[in-house]
Amino acid sequence: MANAKLAPAPLPRLFDTATPPGGYTWWYADGLSKDGDFGFTVIAFVGSVFSPYYAWSGRGDPYNHCAVNVALYGRSRSRWAMTERGRGDLQADDSSLRIGPSSLHWDGTRLTIDIAEYGMPVPLPVRGQIRITPRALNTQVFQLDSAGAHSWQPVAPSADVEVDFSAPGLRWRGDAYFDTNRGQSPIEDAFRYWDWSRVQAADGRTAILYNTVERSGTERGLALMFAPDGSWQTFDPPPKATLSPTPIFRIKRTTRAGNGTFVRLGRTLEDSPFYSRSIIESDLLGPRAAGVHESFDGDRLAMGQVKLMLPFRMPRRPLNK
């Protein structure tokens, strides 16, 4: 390993929404329950990268295309919601972000996410609160492309989480993760493909793999190991490994494993025409540990017919609705 870094000071402007025309900013959190039965993801978008409305508008005003995507995973109580809203439904300052009726707030030690949405395609209510307490913070930003136009910051590589929802009725605790991405151009214009995964060990260490294929064909990879105190090191990633594609839309899933490294696909959480999210098990950190894996197919997202499908899952609502 190399490039050890100390964890820097706390975040001064977590919800800086400075986003250029054509660009995007998002804040992503996920978590898994201790028993592995439940999980969630929340993504708050300014300049919603997956929005057909943003694409059809010419992407001139990212602040007019915002959304909070929430997905709750459970054996019998899963919900998914993503309603796009305009600039009149966006409020932000250094420590808070509100998009429509949902919000994220950072008090210096804890991220509180309040959700008040309706699911799609069945409009069931999705209401509750997620409280994420980072074990350490990271302000290092990592470049994802050769031009330096797309970046990623794993704000809290490991965290504790409390999930409390009234609709559906859910209450659990577990391990969580929180990051943010920024870009100056449409994501499908920059990348043909990427995969990302994070695995968290019982001792608090977190391993993160981020692999991208740019439109030029250039491949880039990050392999990072975060200690419980937030310090990090790069490490030599294992060779590429091909996982089975998703069962419905056949999205390819790759990662890195081999040279004695084990990885196993578990439950597929999201199987969309251009994006997948799955639970994985890996021994990157020694003992086998659970984590989250995602794959993104930029070629699929760029297809016109895919954009025509998205409004059925991602409606756009007028001001304050």
Side-chain angles (χ1 to χ4, degrees), residues 107-153:
D107 68 4
T109 60
R110 173 183 286 181
L111 176 68
T112 300
I113 304 173
D114 287 298
I115 298 295
E117 302 287 337
Y118 280 90
M120 287 297 293
V122 180
L124 295 172
V126 186
R127 297 195 183 99
Q129 187 176 85
I130 297 168
R131 297 176 294 277
I132 297 173
T133 305
R135 295 165 186 153
L137 296 173
N138 167 66
T139 59
Q140 178 68 41
V141 177
F142 298 92
Q143 181 178 314
L144 295 179
D145 66 319
S146 301
H150 300 263
S151 63
W152 161 69
Q153 178 188 343

Side-chain angles (χ1 to χ4, degrees), residues 201-280:
D203 63 8
R205 290 179 300 146
T206 301
I208 302 176
L209 299 173
Y210 214 140
N211 306 295
T212 62
V213 182
E214 299 177 42
R215 281 287 162 200
S216 64
T218 300
E219 298 188 24
R220 297 171 63 89
L222 287 168
L224 305 172
M225 189 79 71
F226 286 87
D229 64 0
S231 61
W232 59 270
Q233 297 178 313
T234 61
F235 66 95
D236 293 329
K240 289 183 180 179
T242 299
L243 306 173
S244 61
T246 58
I248 299 174
F249 289 102
R250 310 302 292 174
I251 294 295
K252 71 176 182 179
R253 293 183 283 194
T254 62
T255 187
R256 290 187 175 272
N259 291 342
T261 303
F262 165 88
V263 64
R264 183 183 69 84
L265 266 175
R267 182 183 175 194
T268 297
L269 302 176
E270 297 288 346
D271 186 353
S272 84
F274 60 89
Y275 183 81
S276 74
R277 181 178 299 123
S278 314
I279 293 176
I280 61 168

Side-chain angles (χ1 to χ4, degrees), residues 43 45 48-52 82 187 274-275 296 301 310 314:
I43 315 175
F45 295 94
S48 182
V49 292
F50 304 143
S51 165
M82 186 171 178
I187 198 170
F274 60 89
Y275 183 81
F296 164 75
L301 180 58
L310 297 180
M314 298 161 49

Side-chain angles (χ1 to χ4, degrees), residues 30 32 197-200 269 278-282 289-293:
D30 72 38
L32 297 173
S197 61
R198 64 104 178 165
V199 176
Q200 188 168 306
L269 302 176
S278 314
I279 293 176
I280 61 168
E281 186 182 15
S282 172
V292 178
H293 176 279

